[in-house]
Amino acid sequence: MRPGRLRAFASRLRELFLGRQINQDLQEELREHLALAEAEHRRRGLSPDAARRAAQRDLGGLEQTAESVRDRRGFRVFEYISRDARYAARLLRKAPGFTVAATATIALGIGANVAVFTLADAALFRPWPYPEPDRLVALWETYEGKATRSVLAAANFIDYERENQAFDTVAVYQRNEGSLSGSGSPERIAFEFVSVGYFPALKTLPVLGRPFGSQDYVDGHAPVAIISDAYWQSRLGGAANVLDQSIVLDERARRVIGVMPRGFRAVSDVGREGPAAVWLPSAFRPDELTNRNDHEWTAIGRVRAGVSLDQAQLDLARISAAIARNAPEPAQARAHVAPLADEQVESLRPLLLLLLGAAGAVMLIACVNVAGLIIVRALARRREVAVRLALGATRGRLAVELLVQSAVLVGLGTTVGLAAGWVLTRWLASIAPVAVTSVQPVGLDIRAMAVAGGLAIATALLFGLLPLRQFSGVKPVFALGGLARGTLGPGSMRGRQALLVLQLALGVVLAVGAGLMIRSAMAISAVPLGFNPDNVVAASVALGGRARYPTLQSRIEFFETLRDRIASLPGVRAVAYGNQLPLRGSWTSGFIIEPVGGEARVQASAGFQSVSAEYFDVFGIPLAHGRLIEPGDRTGQSGVALVNGAFGRALLAGTNPIGRVIRRGPVMPPIRIVGVVGDVRRGGRLADIVPQVYLPATQPELYSLQLTQFAVSTHGDAPALTPAIRAAVWAIDPDLPITNVRTIDETLALQLGERRFQTWLFSLFGAIALVLTTVGIYGVVSYAVGQRTPEIGLRLALGAGRGRVLALMLRQSMILAALGSAIGLAAAYGLSRYMTALVWQVSPTDPVSYLQAAAVMIMATLAASLFAARRATRVEPSEVLR
Amino acid sequence: MAPDKTDVAQGTLALMILTTLDTLGPLHGYGIARRIEQVSGDVLQMNQGTLYPALVKLEQEGWIKAKWGASEQNRRAKFYALTPRGRKQLQAETARWSRVSAIVGRFLKPSAS
């Protein structure tokens, strides 16, 4: 824009806002003009009356002049727009059916997109919640000959920290759980051990107090802790003197030296349910400083400004090479870096991107429907448009009016859509797997609003300009009667059919996705667990490390007492305890199978579990052969074990395990196998069955597994018993924290959360697509029937049967359905590789899902067309041909 | 329209306003209108109302600026004055106008060339 134009624009803008003042000034100026002219006319000898009339005549009318000046000033277009908006609102009120249908459809599209975007934004797009997040990297090692990533050994970390030139800071952390005791009931919390560079690397320091300094890492220094804002507020009541207080974590008092800012998230919080509440200085054990094979520490780094990732990687490779030279090891470590944000959410990317795609498809389908409605309405207005053109309206004015009408409609839809999106977001956040929602808080924010706004503008333009095309052929002369009735020309009819095919194809793609998800979910739920998860509630207690339970025997005594106490509660069927329970961890160990006959000793590995006698009753695991663990299997008696069916199949070549003897090591006590129980999927429905050994908890000398968990089988409402169970624990030991109190059913559901989430969403989008597409087809077919009523009447009059007429009307929509399905199936096939990560035991090109999707779409088309075409069969030839 | 009266063409009105303000200095709308009619020897019969949109346009372009002052009858009136940019524009327009009228003049009197 040249400067003069710009100045005029600015001046107009100012006038727009000074409107009232400028109008008054103008009136005054013009009145003065008339007064001067009148005075002059009187000087020339006219009478006062004649002078006034002459002055008026010379000026050409006060109001006309004022109007033409106003046209020059400001932007008249704003006045037009507000007038058009009122007119548009009136039009919408006059057609409530159209308004509701279009608003709901737009709202559905916008709502779905806003909700999915909000979720994806929190996990994928939004910048990481630390300053300058793009310089934050995750750091790990790989070892020669192994593909798996390895976290760092402390010794290697120290070298990277000291020798690097490419980083501002390199730091490590390790997440742990601990018991906080002291005031109130004991609590299990998550905390992080962090190296001194952790907070500087995140560029986030405590708001109160100080970060860790090197003195905090010196052995023998007073133990210190930094706490989260949430912990400070909830547990310490936000006390101002918090820095003088101590917290007791795992029975050790630690002075609070800092409080992190509100909303600060620990790096390890991603994918975890609860945020870390406490940070402790990482204390490396002396042996860790020399042993480079002890990989325990997860590393992050902040790359120096201006240093690329490749340079940082090279810098670390140089250090890895030096480590290998100085401390030769069997395997050579190689360090890797990648942006921390990408690294932490990599596994979520395919799911969230596919969901965004699905939401986009829903939006497109919705737009096609609304566009169809708008085109039909535009046709009905062609005569009105012709009249207005004849009366001198410009096409530019008409375009503004149509855009305003579309904007009002879309604005309405978007408002409703945002409300729907808000509700949907809350629902999604509640069912979304913790991996998605733990990255950053999920909430409808300005970014989601911007997405809604962008979609709204695009759709408003689309819907505004579409009818303009319908009017392009309208000439003012039509107003004189040239246009008998509004009909779709062959061109726009084809356009509508193309849109319908697109809609059908998108619908088929979504239906294929939903089908794959549902079939995966069905395959998963059909997998037998091997145990009964119903009405069982489980919990963990951590006796280890507590001074009250110094010996294995004291821990067994605790659990025996606990078992008896809980078993006496009303509603309890049986109680069992063990080191681990199904879905709650596993423990694998090597052992020796004693040979029978002349063969050699066999080294093998299996899952080991230490359980009480009631375990198999509580979980409904059947006995196949031999006997179960009995109360008499105690220390002092000969060592016994049970195995599962897989044990015999995998390790004993299918021979009977009963009577065989195993040992944990050459000098360990012999363990005789006395029974075989049913196979169990310990890790849940997605896990494999592995050989398993069950040892009696009361024979800890066989293998001292830490007893930590117990399970309660009930006669009904298991969750209702939790308070009584907690009370039973605290009656024995008031300082003992109870964690992970959950029914086994809940744990199963949690485990499948991600899959259930994706199944739900794809099914939801598939269903929306189906409904919208059906409505769209209905609209197109009923319009076509309306258009062809005279033709149908003629055919009937000439003797065509009503069945033939119906077939005629159906033929076209079935052709479109076939075409749309074919395109949709091809598209779904093309997209199938992105689905691989999301399906289970079902191929992403599973023919059943594909055929189902196409069949459902074609059936829906048939049903909608039949419903719409019924009218054709009721045409009375005598009526329409008159 | 009477044959001896000429309508004011678009664009030339702007030039006339600028010239008027250049010769007479700050003037109110009525003064400008009268002056243009007088200079044209009352041949130019203008609808004085058309003057005002033209004044707004010149003001928006920044060639003239308006200020409230007192009229001959001692009432509040809006006075328009040429700005430095307006003066420059006037020179450019004048030069262009003379060039065009010289060319047109040559076409109208071909014998003289």
Side-chain angles (χ1 to χ4, degrees):
Chain A
M1 211 184 276
R2 66 185 177 83
R5 190 75 63 76
L6 193 67
R7 185 172 299 111
F9 179 82
S11 146
R12 279 175 165 225
L13 208 62
R14 195 168 45 81
E15 287 155 5
L16 183 68
F17 292 107
L18 295 174
R20 184 180 290 270
Q21 180 59 43
I22 283 179
N23 250 335
Q24 281 172 1
D25 284 357
L26 175 64
Q27 293 290 342
E28 193 176 346
E29 183 177 15
L30 293 178
R31 269 200 306 276
E32 182 55 24
H33 180 110
L34 284 177
L36 288 166
E38 196 183 326
E40 179 149 354
H41 281 298
R42 284 178 66 180
R43 267 204 305 281
R44 290 184 187 171
L46 287 181
S47 70
D49 237 27
R52 190 175 316 119
R53 273 200 307 277
Q56 286 274 6
R57 192 193 54 226
D58 289 347
L59 183 65
L62 186 65
E63 258 322 301
Q64 286 89 327
T65 304
E67 181 69 9
S68 58
V69 170
R70 273 200 292 274
D71 261 348
R72 234 358 293 167
R73 285 203 188 275
F75 297 94
R76 282 315 286 279
V77 81
F78 282 97
E79 249 171 77
Y80 294 146
I81 284 177
S82 72
R83 198 186 311 152
D84 287 347
R86 283 194 297 275
Y87 177 54
R90 219 161 41 235
L91 281 184
L92 290 180
R93 266 202 302 279
K94 267 172 55 188
F98 164 81
T99 308
V100 169
T103 305
T105 311
I106 296 169
L108 204 60
I110 299 254
N113 277 277
V114 163
V116 172
F117 172 80
T118 304
L119 218 57
D121 188 40
L124 295 186
F125 305 139
R126 215 185 306 161
W128 228 230
Y130 308 107
E132 298 171 60
D134 45 322
R135 290 202 280 132
L136 269 180
V137 294
L139 202 161
W140 71 92
E141 289 175 335
T142 53
Y143 280 79
E144 230 179 358
K146 276 191 194 161
T148 49
R149 295 174 172 197
S150 170
V151 295
L152 303 189
N156 283 17
F157 157 66
I158 289 169
D159 286 350
Y160 291 133
E161 187 187 38
R162 202 172 38 210
E163 308 290 337
N164 84 76
Q165 290 161 4
F167 291 83
D168 282 343
T169 327
V170 176
V172 289
Y173 65 88
Q174 189 184 88
R175 191 181 178 96
N176 271 287
E177 280 199 358
S179 310
L180 270 168
S181 45
S183 56
S185 56
E187 191 183 9
R188 198 83 180 152
I189 56 126
F191 67 91
E192 279 183 334
F193 283 118
V194 299
S195 71
V196 73
Y198 180 82
F199 295 116
L202 300 178
K203 274 206 166 177
T204 315
L205 299 180
V207 277
L208 212 61
R210 61 172 177 88
F212 294 129
S214 50
Q215 74 277 11
D216 298 317
Y217 292 80
V218 176
D219 223 14
H221 186 268
V224 292
I226 291 175
I227 61 174
S228 73
D229 176 79
Y231 182 75
W232 178 40
Q233 298 297 340
S234 68
R235 288 283 294 207
L236 306 179
N241 63 345
V242 59
L243 294 183
D244 303 331
Q245 297 191 10
S246 285
I247 56 168
V248 180
L249 182 58
D250 285 340
E251 302 188 327
R252 192 164 178 206
R254 296 161 198 275
R255 195 163 54 83
V256 175
I257 61 160
V259 178
M260 290 309 288
R262 176 164 308 174
F264 171 76
R265 296 172 81 73
V267 179
S268 68
D269 281 354
V270 172
R272 302 286 199 339
E273 210 142 331
V278 175
W279 291 267
L280 303 180
S282 60
F284 298 132
R285 297 185 311 272
D287 64 291
E288 270 190 292
L289 301 180
T290 50
N291 181 358
R292 293 184 184 271
N293 283 322
D294 196 355
H295 305 279
E296 288 190 11
W297 297 92
T298 314
I300 54 170
R302 179 172 286 275
V303 178
R304 233 177 254 279
V307 174
S308 73
L309 278 189
D310 287 341
Q311 289 167 327
Q313 175 106 33
L314 277 177
D315 187 37
L316 293 178
R318 175 180 60 78
I319 304 168
S320 320
I323 293 172
R325 267 199 310 279
N326 299 336
E329 281 179 75
Q332 281 222 9
R334 195 181 138 69
H336 300 264
V337 291
L340 181 65
D342 294 356
E343 210 38 50
Q344 294 203 307
V345 295
E346 202 50 53
S347 62
L348 300 173
R349 202 173 289 275
L351 170 62
L352 290 175
L353 291 184
L354 271 178
L355 281 177
L356 275 178
V362 166
M363 184 77 209
L364 269 179
I365 291 175
C367 282
V368 169
N369 269 15
V370 177
L373 291 174
I374 286 180
I375 289 174
V376 172
R377 266 169 68 83
L379 284 173
R381 287 184 57 192
R382 295 218 296 185
R383 168 169 291 237
E384 175 206 330
V385 167
V387 170
R388 290 176 50 187
L389 288 176
L391 291 178
T394 63
R395 286 184 191 268
R397 269 295 286 130
L398 208 59
V400 170
E401 186 192 308
L402 287 170
L403 277 175
V404 169
Q405 283 173 12
S406 153
V408 168
L409 181 66
V410 172
L412 199 62
T414 307
T415 312
V416 179
L418 275 174
W422 185 73
V423 174
L424 202 57
T425 304
R426 287 176 60 113
W427 178 66
L428 284 186
S430 71
I431 65 164
V434 79
V436 175
T437 52
S438 64
V439 183
Q440 292 194 59
V442 177
L444 214 60
D445 60 2
I446 187 81
R447 292 163 63 92
M449 301 273 186
V451 167
L455 284 174
I457 289 170
T459 42
L461 279 176
L462 173 74
F463 297 154
L465 297 178
L466 258 181
L468 205 59
R469 262 197 65 211
Q470 300 296 318
F471 298 146
S472 62
V474 175
K475 295 196 175 61
V477 67
F478 291 169
L480 303 175
L483 192 72
R485 56 186 296 176
T487 55
L488 279 173
S492 45
M493 194 67 204
R494 257 199 302 282
R496 238 196 122 190
Q497 289 171 348
L499 285 178
L500 197 63
V501 168
L502 168 74
Q503 201 176 24
L504 279 159
L506 286 170
V508 166
V509 171
L510 289 181
V512 168
L516 286 172
M517 297 290 164
I518 291 172
R519 280 174 51 79
S520 290
M522 279 165 48
I524 291 171
S525 66
V527 173
L529 281 170
F531 63 90
N532 179 12
D534 301 334
N535 298 326
V536 178
V537 60
S540 308
V541 286
L543 305 184
R546 284 176 67 79
R548 235 179 114 160
Y549 311 97
T551 61
L552 295 173
Q553 202 51 46
S554 62
R555 291 178 205 160
I556 293 172
E557 273 161 24
F558 168 85
F559 274 104
E560 302 261 89
T561 319
L562 182 66
R563 177 194 61 193
D564 296 342
R565 270 179 184 271
I566 296 177
S568 67
L569 293 173
V572 170
R573 200 174 61 77
V575 185
Y577 59 89
N579 67 322
Q580 259 134 11
L581 300 175
L583 307 171
R584 296 168 71 98
S586 63
W587 185 267
T588 307
S589 177
F591 61 96
I592 297 159
I593 303 175
E594 291 290 343
V596 285
E599 35 184 284
R601 274 186 170 180
V602 180
Q603 281 279 355
S605 140
F608 270 77
Q609 212 180 337
S610 172
V611 298
S612 69
E614 305 81 5
Y615 180 85
F616 303 96
D617 178 29
V618 165
F619 285 101
I621 300 172
L623 176 70
H625 307 288
R627 68 166 175 93
L628 290 173
I629 293 173
E630 285 165 5
D633 297 326
R634 306 194 77 91
T635 304
Q637 306 296 313
S638 64
V640 297
L642 307 184
V643 296
N644 65 352
F647 185 98
R649 287 196 304 276
L651 304 178
L652 299 174
T655 60
N656 185 3
I658 291 180
R660 297 293 296 264
V661 173
I662 60 173
R663 283 175 201 271
R664 279 260 302 123
V667 295
M668 295 291 280
I671 306 168
R672 193 164 43 85
I673 297 170
V674 295
V676 178
V677 292
D679 286 328
V680 163
R681 280 178 207 276
R682 293 189 50 81
R685 297 192 204 273
L686 302 177
D688 292 327
I689 291 173
V690 293
Q692 181 74 35
V693 179
Y694 297 95
L695 302 171
T698 42
Q699 289 188 324
E701 69 278 7
L702 302 180
Y703 191 173
S704 72
L705 292 160
Q706 285 277 1
L707 297 176
T708 55
Q709 313 207 18
F710 61 94
V712 182
S713 154
T714 69
H715 289 296
D717 192 8
L721 267 172
T722 14
I725 292 171
R726 283 176 194 276
V729 173
W730 287 334
I732 306 171
D733 182 349
D735 288 333
L736 192 59
I738 313 168
T739 55
N740 243 332
V741 187
R742 275 216 181 97
T743 64
I744 299 290
D745 273 332
E746 250 179 286
T747 314
L748 270 177
L750 266 180
Q751 219 184 26
L752 297 176
E754 198 161 328
R755 290 185 179 274
R756 204 185 39 227
F757 172 73
Q758 69 195 34
T759 308
W760 261 105
L761 267 154
F762 273 96
S763 308
L764 181 70
F765 288 157
I768 293 176
L770 186 67
V771 170
L772 288 180
T773 309
T774 312
V775 170
I777 293 162
Y778 176 81
V780 171
V781 175
S782 32
Y783 186 77
V785 170
Q787 289 286 292
R788 294 173 70 177
T789 303
E791 177 203 332
I792 293 165
L794 192 60
R795 281 174 188 270
L796 289 171
L798 293 178
R802 290 186 187 264
R804 280 203 59 152
V805 167
L806 191 63
L808 180 75
M809 299 314 298
L810 290 185
R811 209 184 59 153
Q812 196 179 40
S813 59
M814 291 325 286
I815 291 173
L816 296 182
L819 194 59
S821 299
I823 296 173
L825 289 179
Y829 186 79
L831 290 169
S832 62
R833 63 198 163 95
Y834 299 107
M835 294 288 286
T836 315
L838 305 182
V839 294
W840 193 82
Q841 286 216 339
V842 174
S843 153
T845 57
D846 171 49
V848 178
S849 303
Y850 279 63
L851 286 179
Q852 272 174 353
V856 165
M857 272 302 156
I858 289 175
M859 295 293 285
T861 309
L862 186 63
S865 314
L866 259 178
F867 199 66
R870 273 180 326 172
R871 202 147 51 93
T873 65
R874 294 205 218 99
V875 168
E876 280 304 325
S878 55
E879 295 266 320
V880 293
L881 291 180
R882 224 185 350 229
Chain B
M1 191 184 289
D4 57 339
K5 299 247 171 169
T6 315
D7 209 2
V8 183
Q10 282 286 334
T12 54
L13 180 56
L15 184 58
M16 289 179 197
I17 295 171
L18 293 178
T19 321
T20 304
L21 293 178
D22 192 36
T23 0
L24 296 187
L27 212 57
H28 50 63
Y30 179 71
I32 299 171
R34 283 298 298 143
R35 168 72 183 176
I36 290 174
E37 284 174 357
Q38 280 166 6
V39 168
S40 71
D42 280 335
V43 175
L44 206 59
Q45 175 70 61
M46 69 184 289
N47 178 345
Q48 293 172 355
T50 59
L51 178 69
Y52 286 92
L55 285 172
V56 168
K57 180 174 184 292
L58 294 181
E59 204 182 340
Q60 283 170 347
E61 295 280 4
W63 294 335
I64 60 173
K65 61 177 191 289
K67 220 169 125 184
W68 288 94
S71 70
E72 299 83 20
Q73 300 187 339
N74 227 356
R75 279 198 306 266
R76 225 162 84 87
K78 209 171 181 181
F79 282 81
Y80 295 91
L82 215 53
T83 63
R85 280 170 38 75
R87 189 153 288 121
K88 237 190 272 168
Q89 174 69 16
L90 176 61
Q91 283 160 7
E93 278 295 305
T94 312
R96 196 180 66 86
W97 187 256
S98 351
R99 232 179 11 256
V100 170
S101 66
I103 294 167
V104 174
R106 258 178 270 163
F107 274 99
L108 295 179
K109 289 185 258 167
S111 54
S113 62

